[in-house]
Amino acid sequence: MLSGCTVQELVDRVAGKWSVCILVAAADGPIRFTELERAISGISRRMLTLTLRNLERDGMLVRTVYPTVPPRVEYSLTPMALELHAALLAITTWAERHRTDVALAREHYDARPTP
Amino acid sequence: MLSGCTVQELVDRVAGKWSVCILVAAADGPIRFTELERAISGISRRMLTLTLRNLERDGMLVRTVYPTVPPRVEYSLTPMALELHAALLAITTWAERHRTDVALAREHYDARPTP
DNA sequence: CAGCATCCGGCCAGATACTG
DNA sequence: CAGTATCTGGCCGGATGCTG
């Protein structure tokens, strides 16, 4: 039991590029498919769909369909996902504080005399 | 400037599967190449080397070579990486607390009547 | 011990076209 | 609007062999 659900695999899943973006974008309340597509620059429709399905399957997203025309679908974070979002904030905050440091470190590394 | 160093790219880099493992493994002090190899189950020598190089280039790891025979190389986290490690702890703690929830959500999702 | 070089197969993700 | 289906190519990463 719990196969495919080690801590490593789970971190891997939720820390995935598009997963993070979706979790951040949906943190402020329910959001629609097209809104997500616009909010997350660079994501393809395919990857958006696949990532949404995975997050929904993992119990991170609730998918609500309003039977109107045109159809309207909203995604919202579950409590579990909200907790994760708080933890992710620590990472993104760190990234913002240190992106110049990292850029400088790279320049420095690349400028070394090639051994 | 700062090209290739957006917050998204940076999160992507440091949240990578093997990066996380290395950051965790090296958090308790300097660690040798072979020790990392043993500590991180499933990693290949190639990926260990590549990930170490990237983390070093990004200023997250300091690589110390002791000119002995046989050679001895130790990797230790920089202050910046230690901060990141603390943030990563929030994620792994979350993952530990919720892995059963996620596993159950998956079972439930997979057991739905296929539409 | 701690790597690097090379080859190669698999799968991940983009592009495109179609639908309830 | 919110998807699904199929094809396809690129690159990621494993396997292997060689060195200071």
Side-chain angles (χ1 to χ4, degrees), chain A residues 36-55:
Chain A
L36 281 168
E37 201 173 8
R38 272 194 299 268
I40 304 172
S41 88
I43 196 170
S44 66
R45 185 160 299 181
R46 171 191 158 82
M47 285 317 292
L48 180 55
T49 303
L50 287 178
T51 312
L52 285 171
R53 287 296 163 276
N54 279 330
L55 289 175

Side-chain angles (χ1 to χ4, degrees), chain A residues 5-19:
Chain A
C5 228
T6 67
V7 168
Q8 195 191 65
E9 285 165 331
L10 195 48
V11 168
D12 226 38
R13 164 75 62 99
V14 299
K17 178 176 184 172
W18 301 128
S19 298

Side-chain angles (χ1 to χ4, degrees), chain B residues 35-74:
Chain B
E35 290 172 340
L36 282 167
E37 201 173 7
R38 272 194 299 268
I40 305 171
S41 88
I43 196 170
S44 67
R45 186 159 298 182
R46 171 191 160 84
M47 286 315 292
L48 180 55
T49 302
L50 286 178
T51 312
L52 285 172
R53 288 297 162 274
N54 279 330
L55 289 176
E56 187 194 355
R57 185 168 101 101
D58 287 353
M60 315 283 289
L61 287 180
V62 173
R63 181 171 177 268
T64 310
V65 182
Y66 299 93
T68 60
V69 276
R72 175 189 184 88
V73 179
E74 285 188 346

